[in-house]
Amino acid sequence: MQQTSASSSATPNPIADNAIAINLVDASGKTVKTYTYVKDTAKKGDTLGTQYNGVWTVDGRDQTAIQAGIDATLKGTNYSLTALSPAQVTALAQAKFGASVNLTVNATTSNVDTTKAITINYIDSSTGQKVGTWYYAPNGVVNGQLVDMTTADRVSNIKTNAPAGYVVNDITSGSALFTSLNNAKYGQAFNIPVTRNATLTNSQLQTIFSKIQVNPLVAGDTAAYHDLYQYVTDNNQLNKAFYNKAETAFITNGNLAIANNGTITNANFKSALTAAGLNDFYISTPKAGEDNSTATTGVHAVLKSANHSQTDTADSDITLSIDNGGKAINLHYTVTPVYATNTDANGNATGTINHGNYGQDQWRIK
């Protein structure tokens, strides 16, 4: 495996301050896929790893999470990175949040005995190109043995193992493909037509984001809950002020280009919210005689979790569904009350206050 090093070159999509874009490249240096690793506690410029006596290391928890993310990202690509080499560990350790790093991946070579397997080649129906391969190779079979690949569980496996971003076209009963699969023998190969999932459109993303639920988690003062709850539910300002940014982040981030009812990792979802400024922000809560820019009080909202539950738990994946389909997205924020900087301890103005239309800065903790 080739040695890789941290890359300082710009990537096509913005990288959040607490994220590292891991470009998975082939032997020629061409990017196969990009996996974005997000760490909530990281700051822009922090290195992922630590140096001890001249040796760079990466925390085991980070390595486990990154390996799982890489595996999921490379699914269906005919490339793999099953173990990080010492050089790659060093490159990752030296990578900085807010930037990117390149890791070379290997072209997948199957150790499956294809004489005792059904080889399923997934063919893009629009280009005729192979986009992935799956082997059905149970133990104890012999070459030439008959196997009915049209049984429900095997058709389900054919669909499940399709490359990411593709869906298997219907295997219609009575079709030539159906007949062939019905009479398949171990040692044979079959071309299965697949279609690339249609990417969610801008209007569909707007529909999804308009149904996102914001759930405040009280931290220190129940008034903070009521301030944020009223701001979101009564004025709907959070949607107007920030969701359009999130929509833009999802639209411009190619790693998140998925179809309706498609899923993305929680880390990538939070990364897009972070890039949109939805992970940590202030909201003015004007009192009588004040407006957003002159408000003396506000709340600080910090994203803690994003999931499909009303409770503060972590889902491994987030489903983007136009009709919700039981998959409404909940954003759970820890909220604390704050005062404008030009106020006294009781929140009374001591000078001219102007902190922006939506109170993005110039606040202090109450």
mmCIF file of all heavy atoms in Angstrom, residues 112-165:
data_model
loop_
_atom_site.group_PDB
_atom_site.id
_atom_site.type_symbol
_atom_site.label_atom_id
_atom_site.label_comp_id
_atom_site.label_asym_id
_atom_site.label_seq_id
_atom_site.Cartn_x
_atom_site.Cartn_y
_atom_site.Cartn_z
ATOM 1 N N VAL A 112 -12.698 -15.211 -3.197
ATOM 2 C CA VAL A 112 -13.783 -16.169 -3.354
ATOM 3 C C VAL A 112 -13.442 -17.105 -4.509
ATOM 4 O O VAL A 112 -12.977 -16.662 -5.561
ATOM 5 C CB VAL A 112 -15.116 -15.436 -3.651
ATOM 6 C CG1 VAL A 112 -16.219 -16.439 -3.971
ATOM 7 C CG2 VAL A 112 -15.497 -14.561 -2.483
ATOM 8 N N ASP A 113 -13.651 -18.410 -4.289
ATOM 9 C CA ASP A 113 -13.498 -19.383 -5.371
ATOM 10 C C ASP A 113 -14.716 -19.248 -6.274
ATOM 11 O O ASP A 113 -15.797 -19.755 -5.961
ATOM 12 C CB ASP A 113 -13.395 -20.798 -4.790
ATOM 13 C CG ASP A 113 -13.198 -21.862 -5.862
ATOM 14 O OD1 ASP A 113 -13.252 -21.524 -7.067
ATOM 15 O OD2 ASP A 113 -13.015 -23.037 -5.492
ATOM 16 N N THR A 114 -14.535 -18.546 -7.392
ATOM 17 C CA THR A 114 -15.687 -18.251 -8.249
ATOM 18 C C THR A 114 -16.266 -19.494 -8.908
ATOM 19 O O THR A 114 -17.369 -19.452 -9.447
ATOM 20 C CB THR A 114 -15.301 -17.233 -9.339
ATOM 21 O OG1 THR A 114 -14.180 -17.723 -10.076
ATOM 22 C CG2 THR A 114 -14.963 -15.886 -8.707
ATOM 23 N N THR A 115 -15.530 -20.624 -8.867
ATOM 24 C CA THR A 115 -16.095 -21.870 -9.420
ATOM 25 C C THR A 115 -17.161 -22.441 -8.498
ATOM 26 O O THR A 115 -17.925 -23.322 -8.892
ATOM 27 C CB THR A 115 -14.993 -22.927 -9.643
ATOM 28 O OG1 THR A 115 -14.457 -23.349 -8.381
ATOM 29 C CG2 THR A 115 -13.894 -22.375 -10.525
ATOM 30 N N LYS A 116 -17.180 -21.930 -7.262
ATOM 31 C CA LYS A 116 -18.169 -22.393 -6.282
ATOM 32 C C LYS A 116 -19.000 -21.215 -5.781
ATOM 33 O O LYS A 116 -19.380 -21.154 -4.611
ATOM 34 C CB LYS A 116 -17.473 -23.094 -5.112
ATOM 35 C CG LYS A 116 -16.677 -24.325 -5.514
ATOM 36 C CD LYS A 116 -15.983 -24.944 -4.319
ATOM 37 C CE LYS A 116 -15.158 -26.160 -4.735
ATOM 38 N NZ LYS A 116 -14.457 -26.763 -3.571
ATOM 39 N N ALA A 117 -19.246 -20.277 -6.661
ATOM 40 C CA ALA A 117 -20.007 -19.075 -6.291
ATOM 41 C C ALA A 117 -20.876 -18.634 -7.451
ATOM 42 O O ALA A 117 -20.604 -18.949 -8.607
ATOM 43 C CB ALA A 117 -19.058 -17.947 -5.894
ATOM 44 N N ILE A 118 -21.919 -17.918 -7.135
ATOM 45 C CA ILE A 118 -22.689 -17.176 -8.134
ATOM 46 C C ILE A 118 -22.135 -15.760 -8.135
ATOM 47 O O ILE A 118 -22.131 -15.093 -7.100
ATOM 48 C CB ILE A 118 -24.191 -17.151 -7.808
ATOM 49 C CG1 ILE A 118 -24.758 -18.571 -7.776
ATOM 50 C CG2 ILE A 118 -24.932 -16.282 -8.805
ATOM 51 C CD1 ILE A 118 -24.797 -19.254 -9.109
ATOM 52 N N THR A 119 -21.608 -15.311 -9.249
ATOM 53 C CA THR A 119 -21.058 -13.958 -9.351
ATOM 54 C C THR A 119 -22.125 -13.035 -9.915
ATOM 55 O O THR A 119 -22.619 -13.236 -11.020
ATOM 56 C CB THR A 119 -19.822 -13.931 -10.265
ATOM 57 O OG1 THR A 119 -18.825 -14.811 -9.739
ATOM 58 C CG2 THR A 119 -19.254 -12.522 -10.364
ATOM 59 N N ILE A 120 -22.481 -12.029 -9.118
ATOM 60 C CA ILE A 120 -23.482 -11.050 -9.535
ATOM 61 C C ILE A 120 -22.763 -9.755 -9.909
ATOM 62 O O ILE A 120 -22.173 -9.098 -9.050
ATOM 63 C CB ILE A 120 -24.504 -10.780 -8.412
ATOM 64 C CG1 ILE A 120 -25.244 -12.063 -8.028
ATOM 65 C CG2 ILE A 120 -25.487 -9.691 -8.831
ATOM 66 C CD1 ILE A 120 -26.116 -12.636 -9.120
ATOM 67 N N ASN A 121 -22.793 -9.420 -11.179
ATOM 68 C CA ASN A 121 -22.201 -8.159 -11.659
ATOM 69 C C ASN A 121 -23.318 -7.135 -11.837
ATOM 70 O O ASN A 121 -24.282 -7.378 -12.571
ATOM 71 C CB ASN A 121 -21.487 -8.366 -12.995
ATOM 72 C CG ASN A 121 -20.276 -9.269 -12.852
ATOM 73 O OD1 ASN A 121 -19.480 -9.112 -11.943
ATOM 74 N ND2 ASN A 121 -20.149 -10.239 -13.755
ATOM 75 N N TYR A 122 -23.182 -6.009 -11.157
ATOM 76 C CA TYR A 122 -24.182 -4.953 -11.255
ATOM 77 C C TYR A 122 -23.811 -4.022 -12.404
ATOM 78 O O TYR A 122 -22.706 -3.452 -12.422
ATOM 79 C CB TYR A 122 -24.272 -4.176 -9.943
ATOM 80 C CG TYR A 122 -24.743 -5.038 -8.782
ATOM 81 C CD1 TYR A 122 -23.837 -5.559 -7.866
ATOM 82 C CD2 TYR A 122 -26.095 -5.331 -8.621
ATOM 83 C CE1 TYR A 122 -24.259 -6.357 -6.803
ATOM 84 C CE2 TYR A 122 -26.530 -6.121 -7.569
ATOM 85 C CZ TYR A 122 -25.610 -6.631 -6.663
ATOM 86 O OH TYR A 122 -26.045 -7.424 -5.621
ATOM 87 N N ILE A 123 -24.733 -3.884 -13.363
ATOM 88 C CA ILE A 123 -24.482 -3.107 -14.567
ATOM 89 C C ILE A 123 -25.386 -1.877 -14.594
ATOM 90 O O ILE A 123 -26.613 -1.990 -14.494
ATOM 91 C CB ILE A 123 -24.735 -3.950 -15.839
ATOM 92 C CG1 ILE A 123 -23.954 -5.271 -15.781
ATOM 93 C CG2 ILE A 123 -24.374 -3.156 -17.076
ATOM 94 C CD1 ILE A 123 -22.460 -5.123 -15.713
ATOM 95 N N ASP A 124 -24.771 -0.695 -14.682
ATOM 96 C CA ASP A 124 -25.546 0.546 -14.784
ATOM 97 C C ASP A 124 -26.326 0.505 -16.103
ATOM 98 O O ASP A 124 -25.731 0.475 -17.181
ATOM 99 C CB ASP A 124 -24.599 1.747 -14.755
ATOM 100 C CG ASP A 124 -25.337 3.083 -14.691
ATOM 101 O OD1 ASP A 124 -26.396 3.214 -15.341
ATOM 102 O OD2 ASP A 124 -24.838 3.993 -14.007
ATOM 103 N N SER A 125 -27.655 0.518 -16.010
ATOM 104 C CA SER A 125 -28.486 0.356 -17.205
ATOM 105 C C SER A 125 -28.378 1.541 -18.159
ATOM 106 O O SER A 125 -28.707 1.414 -19.343
ATOM 107 C CB SER A 125 -29.957 0.153 -16.803
ATOM 108 O OG SER A 125 -30.411 1.209 -15.996
ATOM 109 N N SER A 126 -27.895 2.691 -17.675
ATOM 110 C CA SER A 126 -27.793 3.852 -18.555
ATOM 111 C C SER A 126 -26.450 3.927 -19.269
ATOM 112 O O SER A 126 -26.336 4.507 -20.354
ATOM 113 C CB SER A 126 -28.015 5.144 -17.762
ATOM 114 O OG SER A 126 -26.997 5.315 -16.783
ATOM 115 N N THR A 127 -25.401 3.328 -18.689
ATOM 116 C CA THR A 127 -24.066 3.407 -19.284
ATOM 117 C C THR A 127 -23.536 2.058 -19.752
ATOM 118 O O THR A 127 -22.597 2.009 -20.546
ATOM 119 C CB THR A 127 -23.056 3.987 -18.281
ATOM 120 O OG1 THR A 127 -22.897 3.067 -17.180
ATOM 121 C CG2 THR A 127 -23.517 5.337 -17.759
ATOM 122 N N GLY A 128 -24.109 0.970 -19.240
ATOM 123 C CA GLY A 128 -23.621 -0.354 -19.580
ATOM 124 C C GLY A 128 -22.351 -0.735 -18.844
ATOM 125 O O GLY A 128 -21.781 -1.796 -19.101
ATOM 126 N N GLN A 129 -21.902 0.101 -17.907
ATOM 127 C CA GLN A 129 -20.673 -0.157 -17.176
ATOM 128 C C GLN A 129 -20.942 -0.936 -15.889
ATOM 129 O O GLN A 129 -21.961 -0.732 -15.224
ATOM 130 C CB GLN A 129 -19.969 1.163 -16.829
ATOM 131 C CG GLN A 129 -19.568 1.985 -18.045
ATOM 132 C CD GLN A 129 -18.575 1.270 -18.929
ATOM 133 O OE1 GLN A 129 -17.555 0.769 -18.455
ATOM 134 N NE2 GLN A 129 -18.872 1.199 -20.225
ATOM 135 N N LYS A 130 -20.005 -1.816 -15.535
ATOM 136 C CA LYS A 130 -20.114 -2.530 -14.263
ATOM 137 C C LYS A 130 -19.790 -1.570 -13.126
ATOM 138 O O LYS A 130 -18.779 -0.874 -13.146
ATOM 139 C CB LYS A 130 -19.163 -3.723 -14.224
ATOM 140 C CG LYS A 130 -19.302 -4.569 -12.953
ATOM 141 C CD LYS A 130 -18.451 -5.823 -12.993
ATOM 142 C CE LYS A 130 -16.998 -5.518 -12.739
ATOM 143 N NZ LYS A 130 -16.199 -6.746 -12.555
ATOM 144 N N VAL A 131 -20.659 -1.544 -12.113
ATOM 145 C CA VAL A 131 -20.464 -0.611 -10.995
ATOM 146 C C VAL A 131 -20.276 -1.342 -9.670
ATOM 147 O O VAL A 131 -20.102 -0.702 -8.636
ATOM 148 C CB VAL A 131 -21.657 0.371 -10.893
ATOM 149 C CG1 VAL A 131 -21.689 1.318 -12.072
ATOM 150 C CG2 VAL A 131 -22.988 -0.381 -10.773
ATOM 151 N N GLY A 132 -20.297 -2.676 -9.708
ATOM 152 C CA GLY A 132 -20.093 -3.429 -8.475
ATOM 153 C C GLY A 132 -20.260 -4.916 -8.712
ATOM 154 O O GLY A 132 -20.810 -5.342 -9.735
ATOM 155 N N THR A 133 -19.762 -5.705 -7.759
ATOM 156 C CA THR A 133 -19.866 -7.161 -7.845
ATOM 157 C C THR A 133 -20.180 -7.723 -6.463
ATOM 158 O O THR A 133 -19.679 -7.217 -5.447
ATOM 159 C CB THR A 133 -18.549 -7.789 -8.351
ATOM 160 O OG1 THR A 133 -18.240 -7.270 -9.641
ATOM 161 C CG2 THR A 133 -18.657 -9.305 -8.448
ATOM 162 N N TRP A 134 -21.029 -8.754 -6.445
ATOM 163 C CA TRP A 134 -21.329 -9.469 -5.201
ATOM 164 C C TRP A 134 -21.273 -10.962 -5.479
ATOM 165 O O TRP A 134 -21.687 -11.420 -6.552
ATOM 166 C CB TRP A 134 -22.712 -9.080 -4.675
ATOM 167 C CG TRP A 134 -23.162 -9.935 -3.511
ATOM 168 C CD1 TRP A 134 -22.576 -10.011 -2.287
ATOM 169 C CD2 TRP A 134 -24.273 -10.837 -3.486
ATOM 170 N NE1 TRP A 134 -23.251 -10.904 -1.484
ATOM 171 C CE2 TRP A 134 -24.303 -11.423 -2.195
ATOM 172 C CE3 TRP A 134 -25.249 -11.200 -4.408
ATOM 173 C CZ2 TRP A 134 -25.270 -12.350 -1.815
ATOM 174 C CZ3 TRP A 134 -26.217 -12.125 -4.045
ATOM 175 C CH2 TRP A 134 -26.231 -12.691 -2.755
ATOM 176 N N TYR A 135 -20.709 -11.711 -4.538
ATOM 177 C CA TYR A 135 -20.581 -13.153 -4.704
ATOM 178 C C TYR A 135 -21.509 -13.876 -3.721
ATOM 179 O O TYR A 135 -21.503 -13.579 -2.524
ATOM 180 C CB TYR A 135 -19.138 -13.606 -4.447
ATOM 181 C CG TYR A 135 -18.133 -12.961 -5.365
ATOM 182 C CD1 TYR A 135 -17.408 -11.849 -4.956
ATOM 183 C CD2 TYR A 135 -17.907 -13.473 -6.644
ATOM 184 C CE1 TYR A 135 -16.485 -11.250 -5.794
ATOM 185 C CE2 TYR A 135 -16.986 -12.879 -7.495
ATOM 186 C CZ TYR A 135 -16.279 -11.767 -7.058
ATOM 187 O OH TYR A 135 -15.366 -11.180 -7.900
ATOM 188 N N TYR A 136 -22.284 -14.805 -4.243
ATOM 189 C CA TYR A 136 -23.095 -15.668 -3.387
ATOM 190 C C TYR A 136 -22.365 -16.999 -3.308
ATOM 191 O O TYR A 136 -22.337 -17.771 -4.266
ATOM 192 C CB TYR A 136 -24.502 -15.844 -3.964
ATOM 193 C CG TYR A 136 -25.377 -16.763 -3.143
ATOM 194 C CD1 TYR A 136 -25.742 -16.423 -1.837
ATOM 195 C CD2 TYR A 136 -25.833 -17.971 -3.662
ATOM 196 C CE1 TYR A 136 -26.533 -17.261 -1.075
ATOM 197 C CE2 TYR A 136 -26.632 -18.815 -2.913
ATOM 198 C CZ TYR A 136 -26.975 -18.463 -1.611
ATOM 199 O OH TYR A 136 -27.768 -19.293 -0.854
ATOM 200 N N ALA A 137 -21.723 -17.271 -2.160
ATOM 201 C CA ALA A 137 -20.836 -18.429 -2.047
ATOM 202 C C ALA A 137 -21.008 -19.089 -0.683
ATOM 203 O O ALA A 137 -20.124 -18.991 0.180
ATOM 204 C CB ALA A 137 -19.382 -18.002 -2.264
ATOM 205 N N PRO A 138 -22.108 -19.785 -0.468
ATOM 206 C CA PRO A 138 -22.279 -20.505 0.801
ATOM 207 C C PRO A 138 -21.307 -21.676 0.904
ATOM 208 O O PRO A 138 -20.791 -22.166 -0.109
ATOM 209 C CB PRO A 138 -23.733 -20.983 0.738
ATOM 210 C CG PRO A 138 -24.061 -21.034 -0.720
ATOM 211 C CD PRO A 138 -23.267 -19.947 -1.359
ATOM 212 N N ASN A 139 -21.049 -22.119 2.120
ATOM 213 C CA ASN A 139 -20.120 -23.223 2.338
ATOM 214 C C ASN A 139 -20.728 -24.547 1.857
ATOM 215 O O ASN A 139 -21.944 -24.745 1.885
ATOM 216 C CB ASN A 139 -19.757 -23.336 3.821
ATOM 217 C CG ASN A 139 -18.954 -22.143 4.314
ATOM 218 O OD1 ASN A 139 -18.170 -21.572 3.557
ATOM 219 N ND2 ASN A 139 -19.142 -21.775 5.567
ATOM 220 N N GLY A 140 -19.866 -25.447 1.420
ATOM 221 C CA GLY A 140 -20.290 -26.806 1.121
ATOM 222 C C GLY A 140 -20.876 -27.033 -0.255
ATOM 223 O O GLY A 140 -21.399 -28.122 -0.526
ATOM 224 N N VAL A 141 -20.814 -26.034 -1.146
ATOM 225 C CA VAL A 141 -21.379 -26.212 -2.479
ATOM 226 C C VAL A 141 -20.285 -26.663 -3.437
ATOM 227 O O VAL A 141 -19.090 -26.539 -3.149
ATOM 228 C CB VAL A 141 -22.026 -24.909 -2.990
ATOM 229 C CG1 VAL A 141 -23.098 -24.438 -2.025
ATOM 230 C CG2 VAL A 141 -20.980 -23.814 -3.189
ATOM 231 N N VAL A 142 -20.698 -27.182 -4.586
ATOM 232 C CA VAL A 142 -19.741 -27.639 -5.585
ATOM 233 C C VAL A 142 -20.046 -26.971 -6.911
ATOM 234 O O VAL A 142 -21.171 -26.539 -7.170
ATOM 235 C CB VAL A 142 -19.792 -29.176 -5.755
ATOM 236 C CG1 VAL A 142 -19.384 -29.866 -4.463
ATOM 237 C CG2 VAL A 142 -21.174 -29.634 -6.204
ATOM 238 N N ASN A 143 -19.027 -26.919 -7.750
ATOM 239 C CA ASN A 143 -19.177 -26.314 -9.068
ATOM 240 C C ASN A 143 -20.241 -27.064 -9.862
ATOM 241 O O ASN A 143 -20.279 -28.291 -9.882
ATOM 242 C CB ASN A 143 -17.841 -26.363 -9.808
ATOM 243 C CG ASN A 143 -17.958 -25.818 -11.218
ATOM 244 O OD1 ASN A 143 -17.957 -26.572 -12.178
ATOM 245 N ND2 ASN A 143 -18.053 -24.511 -11.332
ATOM 246 N N GLY A 144 -21.126 -26.294 -10.516
ATOM 247 C CA GLY A 144 -22.160 -26.887 -11.343
ATOM 248 C C GLY A 144 -23.426 -27.253 -10.607
ATOM 249 O O GLY A 144 -24.418 -27.650 -11.236
ATOM 250 N N GLN A 145 -23.425 -27.098 -9.281
ATOM 251 C CA GLN A 145 -24.628 -27.422 -8.498
ATOM 252 C C GLN A 145 -25.722 -26.399 -8.785
ATOM 253 O O GLN A 145 -25.463 -25.199 -8.840
ATOM 254 C CB GLN A 145 -24.279 -27.431 -7.008
ATOM 255 C CG GLN A 145 -25.433 -27.722 -6.076
ATOM 256 C CD GLN A 145 -24.989 -27.685 -4.617
ATOM 257 O OE1 GLN A 145 -23.802 -27.834 -4.298
ATOM 258 N NE2 GLN A 145 -25.950 -27.487 -3.725
ATOM 259 N N LEU A 146 -26.938 -26.873 -8.962
ATOM 260 C CA LEU A 146 -28.055 -25.967 -9.231
ATOM 261 C C LEU A 146 -28.400 -25.160 -7.984
ATOM 262 O O LEU A 146 -28.327 -25.665 -6.854
ATOM 263 C CB LEU A 146 -29.290 -26.756 -9.680
ATOM 264 C CG LEU A 146 -29.302 -27.259 -11.125
ATOM 265 C CD1 LEU A 146 -30.415 -28.285 -11.322
ATOM 266 C CD2 LEU A 146 -29.504 -26.075 -12.074
ATOM 267 N N VAL A 147 -28.773 -23.895 -8.191
ATOM 268 C CA VAL A 147 -29.246 -23.050 -7.096
ATOM 269 C C VAL A 147 -30.272 -22.081 -7.659
ATOM 270 O O VAL A 147 -30.040 -21.434 -8.692
ATOM 271 C CB VAL A 147 -28.083 -22.271 -6.430
ATOM 272 C CG1 VAL A 147 -27.276 -21.500 -7.452
ATOM 273 C CG2 VAL A 147 -28.608 -21.338 -5.350
ATOM 274 N N ASP A 148 -31.405 -22.003 -7.019
ATOM 275 C CA ASP A 148 -32.472 -21.104 -7.465
ATOM 276 C C ASP A 148 -32.249 -19.729 -6.844
ATOM 277 O O ASP A 148 -32.508 -19.518 -5.657
ATOM 278 C CB ASP A 148 -33.827 -21.665 -7.051
ATOM 279 C CG ASP A 148 -34.992 -20.795 -7.517
ATOM 280 O OD1 ASP A 148 -34.736 -19.761 -8.168
ATOM 281 O OD2 ASP A 148 -36.144 -21.147 -7.225
ATOM 282 N N MET A 149 -31.743 -18.778 -7.650
ATOM 283 C CA MET A 149 -31.463 -17.429 -7.144
ATOM 284 C C MET A 149 -32.707 -16.542 -7.117
ATOM 285 O O MET A 149 -32.618 -15.366 -6.781
ATOM 286 C CB MET A 149 -30.378 -16.763 -7.993
ATOM 287 C CG MET A 149 -28.979 -17.329 -7.768
ATOM 288 S SD MET A 149 -28.365 -17.134 -6.071
ATOM 289 C CE MET A 149 -28.135 -15.362 -5.993
ATOM 290 N N THR A 150 -33.865 -17.098 -7.490
ATOM 291 C CA THR A 150 -35.090 -16.283 -7.504
ATOM 292 C C THR A 150 -35.899 -16.456 -6.229
ATOM 293 O O THR A 150 -36.987 -15.883 -6.118
ATOM 294 C CB THR A 150 -35.965 -16.636 -8.719
ATOM 295 O OG1 THR A 150 -36.331 -18.029 -8.651
ATOM 296 C CG2 THR A 150 -35.240 -16.367 -10.016
ATOM 297 N N THR A 151 -35.401 -17.232 -5.258
ATOM 298 C CA THR A 151 -36.114 -17.326 -3.983
ATOM 299 C C THR A 151 -36.049 -15.982 -3.279
ATOM 300 O O THR A 151 -35.142 -15.178 -3.514
ATOM 301 C CB THR A 151 -35.494 -18.405 -3.085
ATOM 302 O OG1 THR A 151 -34.124 -18.076 -2.841
ATOM 303 C CG2 THR A 151 -35.573 -19.777 -3.736
ATOM 304 N N ALA A 152 -37.008 -15.740 -2.397
ATOM 305 C CA ALA A 152 -37.168 -14.403 -1.800
ATOM 306 C C ALA A 152 -35.911 -13.914 -1.099
ATOM 307 O O ALA A 152 -35.504 -12.760 -1.264
ATOM 308 C CB ALA A 152 -38.349 -14.423 -0.826
ATOM 309 N N ASP A 153 -35.268 -14.801 -0.313
ATOM 310 C CA ASP A 153 -34.107 -14.333 0.438
ATOM 311 C C ASP A 153 -32.935 -13.997 -0.474
ATOM 312 O O ASP A 153 -32.173 -13.067 -0.215
ATOM 313 C CB ASP A 153 -33.689 -15.376 1.484
ATOM 314 C CG ASP A 153 -33.266 -16.695 0.869
ATOM 315 O OD1 ASP A 153 -33.810 -17.059 -0.179
ATOM 316 O OD2 ASP A 153 -32.374 -17.361 1.453
ATOM 317 N N ARG A 154 -32.785 -14.740 -1.595
ATOM 318 C CA ARG A 154 -31.661 -14.483 -2.475
ATOM 319 C C ARG A 154 -31.892 -13.237 -3.325
ATOM 320 O O ARG A 154 -30.957 -12.465 -3.575
ATOM 321 C CB ARG A 154 -31.382 -15.718 -3.340
ATOM 322 C CG ARG A 154 -30.793 -16.847 -2.496
ATOM 323 C CD ARG A 154 -30.825 -18.188 -3.162
ATOM 324 N NE ARG A 154 -30.522 -19.221 -2.167
ATOM 325 C CZ ARG A 154 -30.811 -20.496 -2.315
ATOM 326 N NH1 ARG A 154 -31.416 -20.913 -3.419
ATOM 327 N NH2 ARG A 154 -30.513 -21.363 -1.384
ATOM 328 N N VAL A 155 -33.115 -13.019 -3.763
ATOM 329 C CA VAL A 155 -33.415 -11.772 -4.468
ATOM 330 C C VAL A 155 -33.197 -10.594 -3.540
ATOM 331 O O VAL A 155 -32.659 -9.557 -3.931
ATOM 332 C CB VAL A 155 -34.862 -11.791 -5.006
ATOM 333 C CG1 VAL A 155 -35.262 -10.398 -5.481
ATOM 334 C CG2 VAL A 155 -35.003 -12.789 -6.137
ATOM 335 N N SER A 156 -33.589 -10.756 -2.266
ATOM 336 C CA SER A 156 -33.380 -9.696 -1.278
ATOM 337 C C SER A 156 -31.891 -9.391 -1.125
ATOM 338 O O SER A 156 -31.487 -8.225 -1.049
ATOM 339 C CB SER A 156 -33.972 -10.113 0.068
ATOM 340 O OG SER A 156 -33.696 -9.155 1.066
ATOM 341 N N ASN A 157 -31.053 -10.447 -1.105
ATOM 342 C CA ASN A 157 -29.606 -10.245 -0.986
ATOM 343 C C ASN A 157 -29.035 -9.569 -2.223
ATOM 344 O O ASN A 157 -28.109 -8.748 -2.129
ATOM 345 C CB ASN A 157 -28.902 -11.584 -0.751
ATOM 346 C CG ASN A 157 -28.976 -12.020 0.693
ATOM 347 O OD1 ASN A 157 -29.014 -11.197 1.591
ATOM 348 N ND2 ASN A 157 -29.016 -13.321 0.920
ATOM 349 N N ILE A 158 -29.560 -9.927 -3.383
ATOM 350 C CA ILE A 158 -29.102 -9.273 -4.619
ATOM 351 C C ILE A 158 -29.369 -7.774 -4.530
ATOM 352 O O ILE A 158 -28.526 -6.958 -4.910
ATOM 353 C CB ILE A 158 -29.811 -9.882 -5.852
ATOM 354 C CG1 ILE A 158 -29.312 -11.304 -6.114
ATOM 355 C CG2 ILE A 158 -29.576 -9.011 -7.088
ATOM 356 C CD1 ILE A 158 -30.056 -12.028 -7.211
ATOM 357 N N LYS A 159 -30.522 -7.405 -3.993
ATOM 358 C CA LYS A 159 -30.871 -5.987 -3.876
ATOM 359 C C LYS A 159 -30.053 -5.307 -2.789
ATOM 360 O O LYS A 159 -29.537 -4.200 -2.973
ATOM 361 C CB LYS A 159 -32.366 -5.847 -3.591
ATOM 362 C CG LYS A 159 -33.257 -6.291 -4.744
ATOM 363 C CD LYS A 159 -34.734 -6.121 -4.403
ATOM 364 C CE LYS A 159 -35.612 -6.493 -5.586
ATOM 365 N NZ LYS A 159 -37.070 -6.350 -5.272
ATOM 366 N N THR A 160 -29.916 -5.966 -1.638
ATOM 367 C CA THR A 160 -29.209 -5.375 -0.502
ATOM 368 C C THR A 160 -27.749 -5.098 -0.811
ATOM 369 O O THR A 160 -27.183 -4.104 -0.352
ATOM 370 C CB THR A 160 -29.307 -6.301 0.726
ATOM 371 O OG1 THR A 160 -30.679 -6.489 1.064
ATOM 372 C CG2 THR A 160 -28.566 -5.711 1.916
ATOM 373 N N ASN A 161 -27.126 -5.969 -1.616
ATOM 374 C CA ASN A 161 -25.697 -5.834 -1.898
ATOM 375 C C ASN A 161 -25.394 -5.003 -3.137
ATOM 376 O O ASN A 161 -24.248 -4.956 -3.591
ATOM 377 C CB ASN A 161 -25.075 -7.222 -2.040
ATOM 378 C CG ASN A 161 -24.947 -7.922 -0.699
ATOM 379 O OD1 ASN A 161 -24.049 -7.636 0.083
ATOM 380 N ND2 ASN A 161 -25.866 -8.835 -0.420
ATOM 381 N N ALA A 162 -26.421 -4.328 -3.669
ATOM 382 C CA ALA A 162 -26.185 -3.416 -4.795
ATOM 383 C C ALA A 162 -25.273 -2.276 -4.340
ATOM 384 O O ALA A 162 -25.273 -1.901 -3.166
ATOM 385 C CB ALA A 162 -27.508 -2.851 -5.300
ATOM 386 N N PRO A 163 -24.470 -1.726 -5.237
ATOM 387 C CA PRO A 163 -23.572 -0.633 -4.861
ATOM 388 C C PRO A 163 -24.346 0.555 -4.291
ATOM 389 O O PRO A 163 -25.504 0.803 -4.670
ATOM 390 C CB PRO A 163 -22.897 -0.254 -6.188
ATOM 391 C CG PRO A 163 -23.060 -1.447 -7.055
ATOM 392 C CD PRO A 163 -24.360 -2.074 -6.661
ATOM 393 N N ALA A 164 -23.709 1.266 -3.387
ATOM 394 C CA ALA A 164 -24.330 2.457 -2.809
ATOM 395 C C ALA A 164 -24.714 3.434 -3.914
ATOM 396 O O ALA A 164 -23.929 3.677 -4.832
ATOM 397 C CB ALA A 164 -23.370 3.114 -1.825
ATOM 398 N N GLY A 165 -25.928 3.979 -3.816
ATOM 399 C CA GLY A 165 -26.390 4.935 -4.813
ATOM 400 C C GLY A 165 -27.113 4.307 -5.978
ATOM 401 O O GLY A 165 -27.561 5.013 -6.879
#
